[in-house]
Amino acid sequence: MNLSKLKQTNIGESNTAGSVTDFRSLENVIVKKYGGTSVGSIERIESLADRLVRDIKGGQKPIVVASAMSGETNRLIGLAEQIDRDYRGPAYDMLIASGEQVSISLLAIALKKRGIKAQPLLAYQLGIRTDSVHAKARIKEIDGDFLLRLVSQGIVPIVAGFQGVDEEDNITTLGRGGSDTTAVALAAAIRQPGRPTSCEIFTDVPAVFTADPRLVPKAREIARISFDEMMEMAALGSKILHIRCVEIGAKYGIRIHVRSTFEEREGTWIVPEGEVLEQALVSSVTHDANTAVFKLFPVPAGPGFLAELFQTLATRGVVVDIITQSEAAEGQRIAFSVTKEDVPLTRQVLKEMIKSSTEVTLIENMAKISVVGVGMRNHPGVAARFFQILARHNIPVHIVTTSEIKISAVIDQNHLSTAATALHSEFSLDKTE
Ligand code: ASP
Ligand code: MG
């Protein structure tokens, strides 16, 4: 991944376009990402423009990234699915990327009305190059130089989140919630040596919590959390940040500040592990209520089938989470879990690959519950406590997986709230009031 085509030695010198990129003028440049609710209506867009004017008057030079107006991406997906539930490809990405085109244009109009020079920008204009995995593309390159040139000319770039272009100039999208990744990747592309870079993610919640407060009312706000923990949380179902944005943050040292669109106060900082002073044994209880399990029986004969199946799923961008396999007299049985988002792609792949009499069953009412914490690395016994709590509440566990800093179990969805509440209190995360 080359996130900086930026020729850093050129900063401070005249560039070929004739304009001067003044190093000092790049002080206070900050990438600010606004989610769907922040641009969810004309009133919201107008008040966001007011807030940006205040930031600019205060000396900031924002690079803005926006999502589509809330509900819009879902609406567009719904239209496509009325025609073909399983299709993913260039036409799908062109369709679902269009919501951002609308929101950035409206925001640019609102800023222009307030006397601010603003330029709405689509991915092709910024050279946001991705691979060609439609609906799940990964950013490979961004032209940070161009972006900085705009800023140095006093222009506020308003960038469409979520989209990129592949080698053939097809529009691609980065996966649901992918505007976060656009923002952090832009911050990486414009980073300067010796200057800490951060990226603000404005959202409709004030911070990252120790658990989803809708599920666990005693959940607390987290002030600082490590990249590793946040990455696990994102992978395990926390919807607050797109996982790739945390990966890019970790790789390029971009500190991510998750905060509220509606309040001025600070939210949660995602930072390198060494900057988190208090290392909790468990820092959060995360869940994914949208776990789906596919079962195949009997698995088509031939030694290469499973390798080919999982290879094809991986190439299409499906993250297969947990796999179990067993032998019976009538043949081999496998089960694997994916997130709900990946169900259409998985079904498409299975349709293409299975022509025989194999029965494919999809079970959608599963949930995954996990505890995450870097403290687990050095303290044994967390797994024992995790399973004791589930046993005490008579919650059957279907599948289990662990890593150095997490323990996850797939359980029935109707046990989710009991499990989350009990684990949250077992690991002393409940807020005290
Ligand atoms: N609009 C896209 C979505 O709804 C991207 C984003 O919001 O981050 O998934
Ligand atoms: Mg989001």
Side-chain angles (χ1 to χ4, degrees), residues 33 177 180 239-240:
K33 182 257 165 175
D180 298 340
K239 293 280 177 294
I240 191 144

Side-chain angles (χ1 to χ4, degrees), residues 164-224:
V165 279
D166 72 4
E167 261 172 27
E168 269 109 56
D169 293 337
N170 292 307
I171 295 174
T172 55
T173 60
L174 309 180
R176 298 307 306 273
S179 299
D180 298 340
T181 295
T182 308
V184 179
L186 290 182
I190 60 158
R191 74 195 185 283
Q192 298 294 314
R195 188 185 300 165
T197 312
S198 59
C199 176
E200 290 182 301
I201 308 270
F202 291 87
T203 178
D204 50 3
V205 294
V208 178
F209 282 77
T210 50
D212 184 338
R214 285 166 300 186
L215 192 66
V216 181
K218 286 188 175 166
R220 277 188 289 113
E221 289 182 21
I222 300 174
R224 272 170 179 255

Side-chain angles (χ1 to χ4, degrees), residues 6-65:
L6 169 69
K7 291 169 242 57
Q8 297 181 325
T9 46
N10 279 353
I11 300 285
E13 297 166 18
S14 294
N15 59 36
T16 43
S19 65
V20 175
T21 306
D22 178 358
F23 187 82
R24 282 157 309 168
S25 76
L26 298 176
E27 208 92 30
N28 301 327
V29 175
I30 179 154
V31 178
K32 292 167 172 280
K33 182 257 165 175
Y34 294 90
T37 20
S38 317
V39 292
S41 65
I42 295 302
E43 294 72 43
R44 290 264 165 88
I45 289 174
E46 298 257 24
S47 67
L48 172 54
D50 287 337
R51 186 169 177 173
L52 286 167
V53 170
R54 283 201 300 279
D55 291 342
I56 294 164
K57 294 228 166 93
Q60 286 190 356
K61 300 196 172 92
I63 293 173
V64 177
V65 175

Side-chain angles (χ1 to χ4, degrees), residues 3 13-15 25 131 149 270 312 316 350 358 362 392:
L3 290 182
E13 297 166 18
S14 294
N15 59 36
S25 76
D131 60 24
R149 214 149 53 219
I270 298 135
T312 312
R316 300 283 187 86
L350 289 172
T358 303
L362 168 62
R392 197 175 306 152

